[in-house]
Structures are given as structure tokens and as C-alpha cells.
Amino acid sequence: MECISMKSEESAIVMRRVEYGDFDVILTLFSRSKGKFSAIAKNARKSRRRFSGRLELFSVLHPDCSQPKSGGMPVLQEVQLMEPFENLRTDFIRMGYAAYWCEILCLWLEEGAAQPEVYDLLESMLRELHLGKGKPEVLSLLYQLRFLTLSGLAPGLDVCGGCEAPMFDVRAGRIRFDYGRSRILCGTCSPLARIFSMAPGTVKTLCWLQERKDQGAGRMQFSREAALEGLFFLESFISFHMGRDFRSLKYLQSVRRTAGISPEIISFPVCRLKA
Ligand SMILES: [Zn+2]
């Protein structure tokens, strides 16, 4: 078994935190150089002094771990808290987005495989969300589009998946998207099922964002309708392709409803897409 000995100056993000037994805490961490791994913080809930407030969800740590000779999970020895990102745990909406972003990665990342670009994406987007730079909905739009591009799952939004007509020539009222083919469809290429439809302005917004690499896009202004429709499209697209109804997404949807962020164009449930 590969030994995970983390130098304490390496950053890692806490993606999941589970209380274990009476005293311990198990963290799922995402490190820039080591990828995803779990570590146990022994007696973290018994002795508050040792890790006091430094094992919180979504924070960036410099963990110092040791690997037991007998094998098993690395043990956290010391932790330096680098960025607490505390606003991500006090604001329900921001907490919902941070949890959703991390849940996607917990599922997608392979244990111990470095994904430095994905790490940089998560860390920078959590920071922007914490600092309130840009609306959470727009940040989530960007996060999902960039994740899909980095993971090779980006939806094809530029040409029709049937006849390859360019999207900008498609004059139908709403542009349809075929989940099975991961592509938009023009009015004449009519599939039977697994369809989501979007306003042309939404598809143009998504196309434009797919081309953008800079971090400033979170502060761009979009029409509320395009941003929300794009957001709900990406959430159902990711759930469809990863075969998962994300628990954090259900939470997010309920806090959004409470906050009045729930237009009529909400995507239909994933179970209907799979039918
Ligand atoms: Zn076509």
C-alpha cells in the first residue's frame, strides 16, 4: 500500500467530514499533489485543544499525516488551518453550493490520483463563494462548466448532434438538448426521449462561458433567466452523466426555494431522464 506522508506545507481541502465512533473524525481530503484521500483525526471530539476548529468542512488545511505500519487509514497528527472559508458554513445558500461542488468531486475523483487543475478550480471557486465575489448561482454555473471541460464531459452546445448544423443557425423557439448524445439538436433532428429544452440565449451564454478561462467571469452580468436555466440544465446534466441524485443538490434546491430562487423553468427530475 502506498504510504501517504504529507508534508505539512501541502494544501488540502476538506470535502467531507464524518464523525466516527465516540471520539474520532474521518475527513475526505483533496490535496493538490496527492488527489483524494481519507484521514482519521483520533480523539478530535474528545480533546478539543488538539484540532480545535481546524477540521471544518470546506476549509483549506496543511495536514501532517502518518501512515500506520499495519496499513489502514492515514492518521492526522497536526493540522495548520490556512483558509477557514467560514462564510461557507454560516450561509445556507453558499453552504449548499460548496457541498454540491464537493460531492461531485468525492464521486468523480479516484483515490490517490492528482488532479491539480481540478484542485485549483475548487479552491478558487470556494474562495470566490466565501468572499461573495459574484452571485452564487453564476459561480456554480462556471464551476460546473469548468469541471465538465476538465473531466472531458463537456456538453456539445455548438452544433446539432444529428446533422451538425451550427447552433447559431437553429431558429426554433427553444433549443433542445439530447442527454444520451450530450449534444444540442436542431428542429428537424427530433429524438424520442431524454430531452431538455433551453432558450437560445441560455445556450449562447453557456457557449460563451465555455470559452472563458479567466476567473473574472463570475462578476459578469447575465440575464437572470439565462443564468438560472443554464444552472438547472447543468445540474441535471451532471446528475444524468454521473448516475447520481446528489444529496447536496436536494438540500440546495430546498434552500433555493425558500430564498425564492426557483423559476418555473426548473429542470425535471433525473429519474424521468433515465426512463
Ligand atoms: Zn440537426
Side-chain angles (χ1 to χ4, degrees):
M1 179 181 175
E2 199 202 342
C3 176
I4 296 188
S5 64
M6 297 277 302
K7 280 181 265 146
S8 55
E9 67 269 22
E10 282 183 297
S11 293
I13 298 166
V14 181
M15 294 195 297
R16 191 190 292 156
R17 182 189 195 278
V18 179
E19 298 194 343
Y20 183 75
D22 290 334
F23 308 119
D24 305 340
V25 169
I26 294 178
L27 301 183
T28 304
L29 297 164
F30 182 21
S31 142
R32 194 170 193 283
S33 59
K34 305 271 184 197
K36 177 178 80 167
F37 68 97
S38 298
I40 187 162
K42 297 212 164 175
N43 293 319
R45 285 150 60 217
K46 190 176 164 197
S47 157
R48 303 218 168 255
R49 228 167 346 127
R50 190 163 172 210
F51 294 115
S52 166
R54 283 175 289 153
L55 303 177
E56 299 298 322
L57 262 181
F58 316 130
S59 56
V60 180
L61 318 171
H62 282 181
D64 196 351
C65 299
S66 67
Q67 179 72 50
K69 285 211 172 67
S70 53
M73 200 179 286
V75 178
L76 271 175
Q77 300 298 338
E78 268 180 61
V79 160
Q80 215 182 330
L81 181 61
M82 304 313 293
E83 299 200 64
F85 292 154
E86 67 280 1
N87 295 341
L88 304 183
R89 295 182 300 278
T90 54
D91 177 288
F92 291 139
I93 291 268
R94 286 191 251 189
M95 182 157 62
Y97 282 108
Y100 172 55
W101 299 350
C102 287
E103 193 179 350
I104 294 173
L105 293 189
C106 278
L107 180 67
W108 180 77
L109 288 167
E110 282 176 42
E111 204 79 27
Q115 290 282 352
E117 286 179 299
V118 178
Y119 176 89
D120 291 343
L121 170 67
L122 181 63
E123 195 195 281
S124 65
M125 295 303 272
L126 288 176
R127 185 175 296 110
E128 298 221 352
L129 189 62
H130 161 72
L131 295 172
K133 290 186 173 180
K135 289 193 171 109
E137 292 76 31
V138 174
L139 292 177
S140 194
L141 197 64
L142 286 170
Y143 175 84
Q144 292 176 92
L145 275 173
R146 286 181 188 154
F147 164 71
L148 288 167
T149 300
L150 291 172
S151 61
L153 296 169
L157 300 168
D158 48 351
V159 296
C160 169
C163 66
E164 305 205 338
M167 191 276 288
F168 291 102
D169 288 349
V170 175
R171 302 200 182 274
R174 288 177 72 76
I175 295 180
R176 289 168 300 160
F177 185 86
D178 181 356
Y179 281 83
R181 279 189 268 200
S182 251
R183 290 213 153 266
I184 56 163
L185 291 168
C186 74
T188 44
C189 298
S190 184
L192 297 171
R194 295 190 287 187
I195 293 299
F196 182 98
S197 77
M198 287 178 277
T202 303
V203 180
K204 281 178 192 164
T205 300
L206 293 174
C207 277
W208 183 80
L209 285 170
Q210 266 185 337
E211 303 295 315
R212 306 280 298 194
K213 296 272 185 279
D214 60 302
Q215 295 299 313
R219 288 178 283 283
M220 299 285 169
Q221 294 295 311
F222 307 107
S223 85
R224 179 185 160 86
E225 190 188 58
L228 290 180
E229 192 175 48
L231 185 68
F232 299 133
F233 161 67
L234 290 172
E235 288 169 359
S236 62
F237 178 77
I238 287 177
S239 296
F240 175 79
H241 274 281
M242 298 183 80
R244 167 79 66 104
D245 286 318
F246 293 100
R247 279 174 61 193
S248 53
L249 197 51
K250 290 206 173 84
Y251 166 80
L252 184 56
Q253 283 161 349
S254 84
V255 290
R256 276 197 306 228
R257 265 195 300 278
T258 308
I261 308 166
S262 62
E264 312 71 57
I265 48 172
I266 281 192
S267 56
F268 34 82
V270 174
C271 54
R272 274 182 51 195
L273 294 170
K274 286 175 183 160

